[in-house]
Amino acid sequence: MSSAQKHRLGILLSGRGSNFIAIADNVAAGRIPAEIAVVVCNRPGAPGLEEAQRRGLDARMIPSKGLEREQYDRQVVEVLRSKQVDLVCLAGFMRLLSPYFVSQFPNRILNIHPSLLPAFPGLEAQRQALEYGVKITGCSVHFVDENLDAGPVIIQSSVPVLDDDNVETLSARILEQEHRIYSEAINLVLAGGWRLEGHRFLRTQDATLNAAAGR
Ligand code: GRF
């Protein structure tokens, strides 16, 4: 993926949308060399969708309730294709993607998860970390494959677990880091200068220099 062209992001969300907002703010400020081509939401009434509409983005409600996984994914992929999306960002999208979806955007789908993967995949990762008793947790941005929270990790950020933390306080500190590293990961992937070696995401060139040189 070269940074010479204007990249087109597709954001998928199900709820609050704070990661979407952080990305959208960075796009608007020119800190991500891309535009948000479309926002897709699968849950009626999600605040993230309303915010996307308020910002004048192409924001689509595609309800998933009652649909088989691939049947739903085909509808979403069609929209992403029609909008010429080249990077899909899951931002609190509460659905596993089908192998069909993943095959349509190989190494072009990112997700953010509130733990240091592979620890605590799945729901309520912050609660899992607290209950396990780890002293350090955090968040991860990773490529999406057919498995839950399992693709190659692009960036992680660590967050200490404090003795007096509860799920809310810990989640809030992790969320601050999520908002920072998601945009960083998008920029890394868009800038190129990386490769996958097995499950490892490795930088082959200085992506910052790469972006500055317009490559
Ligand atoms: C975040 O904690 C993210 O890591 C997880 O779902 C939550 C979404 O929050 N995948 P928001 O909708 O972006 O505010």
Side-chain angles (χ1 to χ4, degrees), residues 15-20 91-94 111-114 126 175 178-179:
R16 179 178 58 182
S18 73
N19 278 286
F20 150 64
F93 186 62
M94 304 304 282
N111 182 43
I112 182 131
H113 184 74
Q126 304 94 330
L175 197 60
E178 293 186 36
H179 294 165

Side-chain angles (χ1 to χ4, degrees), residues 2-149:
S2 119
S3 55
Q5 77 214 63
K6 189 79 171 167
H7 294 288
R8 296 177 64 77
L9 308 182
I11 312 273
L12 272 52
L13 56 80
S14 302
R16 179 178 58 182
S18 73
N19 278 286
F20 150 64
I21 290 169
I23 294 166
D25 285 349
N26 282 329
V27 166
R31 290 189 290 263
I32 295 177
E35 56 192 285
I36 296 178
V38 65
V39 177
V40 174
C41 175
N42 70 318
R43 284 196 186 155
L49 182 73
E50 285 162 22
E51 179 61 22
Q53 285 161 345
R54 205 187 59 72
R55 289 173 180 238
L57 296 169
D58 183 346
R60 316 251 183 126
M61 176 63 213
I62 308 181
S64 57
K65 205 167 175 198
L67 294 186
E68 305 244 317
R69 195 174 304 287
E70 187 173 319
Q71 191 187 5
Y72 180 73
D73 284 1
R74 284 187 182 273
Q75 292 183 27
V76 176
V77 166
E78 198 177 311
V79 168
L80 296 173
R81 288 248 173 269
S82 74
K83 299 296 293 187
Q84 295 167 305
V85 163
D86 57 7
L87 187 68
V88 181
C89 300
L90 309 187
F93 186 62
M94 304 304 282
R95 285 178 68 82
L96 251 187
L97 301 190
S98 61
Y100 167 75
F101 194 140
V102 175
S103 74
Q104 296 304 298
F105 292 93
N107 298 328
R108 293 290 178 269
I109 309 172
L110 307 185
N111 182 43
I112 182 131
H113 184 74
S115 76
L116 295 177
L117 290 171
F120 313 125
L123 293 175
E124 299 201 78
Q126 304 94 330
R127 180 183 302 280
Q128 292 185 55
L130 266 180
E131 287 178 357
Y132 191 92
V134 292
K135 301 301 183 194
I136 298 174
T137 183
C139 49
S140 310
V141 181
H142 63 94
F143 284 122
V144 172
D145 63 17
E146 303 79 21
N147 301 310
L148 181 64
D149 302 324

